[in-house]
Amino acid sequence: MDKFRIENCSDELLCGIDGGGTTTKVVVCNLEGQVLDSFQSGTINHYGAGIPKVKEYFAAIAANIIEKFACLPGTIFTGNSALDGLADDALVQELTNGVFHPSKVVFHSDVYIALLSFTLGNPGAVLISGTGSMACGIDAGGAYHTAGGWGQVLGDEGSAYHIALKGIHAALHAYDGLSEPTMLSASVMKFFDLKKMSDIIDKIYNPPVEKGVIAAFAPEVERAAEEGDPAALHIMESEAEWLYKLALAITKKCITQNLGYFGSVLNHNHRIRSKLSALLAEQFISLQVPRFKPEIGALIGAFRESGHRVSDSVIDNLLKYR
Amino acid sequence: MDKFRIENCSDELLCGIDGGGTTTKVVVCNLEGQVLDSFQSGTINHYGAGIPKVKEYFAAIAANIIEKFACLPGTIFTGNSALDGLADDALVQELTNGVFHPSKVVFHSDVYIALLSFTLGNPGAVLISGTGSMACGIDAGGAYHTAGGWGQVLGDEGSAYHIALKGIHAALHAYDGLSEPTMLSASVMKFFDLKKMSDIIDKIYNPPVEKGVIAAFAPEVERAAEEGDPAALHIMESEAEWLYKLALAITKKCITQNLGYFGSVLNHNHRIRSKLSALLAEQFISLQVPRFKPEIGALIGAFRESGHRVSDSVIDNLLKYR
């Protein structure tokens, strides 16, 4: 293989990679920010896919770029959902198997490129609530801060997983007579296709389900809240308050009032987003839709890493990417 | 093997088995309740040990009894921590591989024999809080009721696992700046031997830890509460209230004011037990120490199953077992 490896790269090209939990998005642009190519590959999350698969996907990504451009981009910036911060060179080398040599390759977390897509590298913060929840930001001194992101056992308050779990708990409390009846008991029976409530034990533990299976119940909790179910409404209030606490903590750490948001809960759960917006507005913090997708955040990382300015015309060009 | 199988059993002997998550306790008595033999074997929880191991342990238990008594007990009553109720004959046959033939063999849950050890089969209820939490009871009509027991993901409020988890959550909330500082942050760092707080992610998820690893942190939360830490005190109050709700639900279902307790939290966490006792006393429910160990509860199950009365003299004899 080494014989055929392209041994040069072009400083005129930059690459951004968003390595999510299920797919990877790759974008290549020139120094004017014109996106020249974009494509998807399998997930490069090595906890999910395993290292051999990840090596395979990176080889395919490199081959794809070389086929199109006959060389590699000078800088490749990757947001990797398996990471919680900047990776060292040894890990980059292990996962990519050197297929990007001699390009400069940086691996950071997926939340970091989401942050870049909102702040373009300037001070600011983002709040993410999808299956999990987390906040991160950059302060005026350029320091990176995080809050939350502890995963489904240790935290993830305000996430789809947490909303769903609280909904299931409420259903079981009502079933046991620990609390007033709630629509959620019937929702749990139907959603998890149970003949009797105790069948949920086998569904959840035998074998242990992926967290996504539980998180998928979150829209049912929202539905019950829409229909006025008190237990579901209480969960929505409480989860919005968790996100508020997370938002306050990160904006305080970064001394910023700019907060972007990402993730299925904040995109689709209007009740939670509007409650959160209202709470934040009292603190003069505005919750904003980021202008760019995370893969463009990765490109912005590549601009910065290679010492190129993200000018207004670059931004205008990047905004054309959909 | 079948050639050597003892094909008779004595109606003069009864056997009780407490199949816990790590060990199995076996007791054999006569119809006067005099315990003639007791010994331990490996766990018969097939979720933990696997079916082949369980078959092996049952064969050893049968061999042990036959060696001592030259026959099998007429009735064998087993409380099995892998079950949440009465098992059907097919499962009993699968797990025992017929080694107890022709004895009558009954498999019920571990909480059921705990219940029998408190109520002797009369109406009453028990509350259990160890690694997990659950309540069960028998009403005046003989019907069996339960509440809780949903496991570490779906519930187990008031258990050591839940106390520990809430303690870890509190530590992380304080670390993130979502709440006031707490001693629990330092406790978590020390207990889980972390260099930096984010190392806890690897400790808990990679690979996923057994719930016992998390539950073992519960005494640290109690310690912080003893030293007056507000976050830890709040957890203790809240967990005691969960147990109170569970206790109220089960005593209401069983229409009883007799509530026995089992498990490490209720045995050792004085703060929780006294808070719970005080709350229950307001409802005229008395929280009591059961007189018997669960394996004696299994023997009582064997008495009842074989149609023998648990007379006062039987009770006096069983009380001699330690």
Side-chain angles (χ1 to χ4, degrees), chain B residues 164-220:
Chain B
L165 198 64
K166 291 292 155 185
I168 299 169
H169 288 174
L172 296 177
H173 293 154
Y175 173 81
D176 273 342
L178 271 60
S179 60
E180 295 299 308
T182 161
M183 286 171 55
L184 292 167
S185 301
S187 307
V188 163
M189 294 285 289
K190 192 173 170 206
F191 185 83
F192 290 102
D193 192 22
L194 311 174
K195 287 207 175 61
K196 54 185 199 301
M197 193 60 98
S198 59
D199 291 343
I200 198 171
I201 292 179
D202 244 19
K203 285 265 174 186
I204 300 296
Y205 300 108
N206 194 18
V209 291
E210 290 293 317
K211 62 181 174 178
V213 174
I214 290 174
F217 184 68
E220 299 298 320

Side-chain angles (χ1 to χ4, degrees), chain A residues 62-82:
Chain A
N64 218 324
I65 294 174
I66 289 164
E67 192 187 330
K68 178 106 182 186
F69 300 99
C71 69
L72 286 163
T75 301
I76 298 169
F77 199 100
T78 299
N80 187 332
S81 57

Side-chain angles (χ1 to χ4, degrees), chain A residues 148 150 153 157 169 173 176 205, chain B residues 148 150 153 157 169 173 176 205:
Chain A
W150 300 104
V153 175
E157 294 89 349
H169 289 174
H173 293 154
D176 273 342
Y205 300 108
Chain B
W150 300 104
V153 175
E157 294 89 349
H169 288 174
H173 293 154
D176 273 342
Y205 300 108

Side-chain angles (χ1 to χ4, degrees), chain B residues 30-43:
Chain B
N30 59 22
L31 298 184
E32 282 72 51
Q34 292 164 319
V35 173
L36 306 174
D37 194 24
S38 68
F39 57 92
Q40 299 202 357
S41 93
T43 177

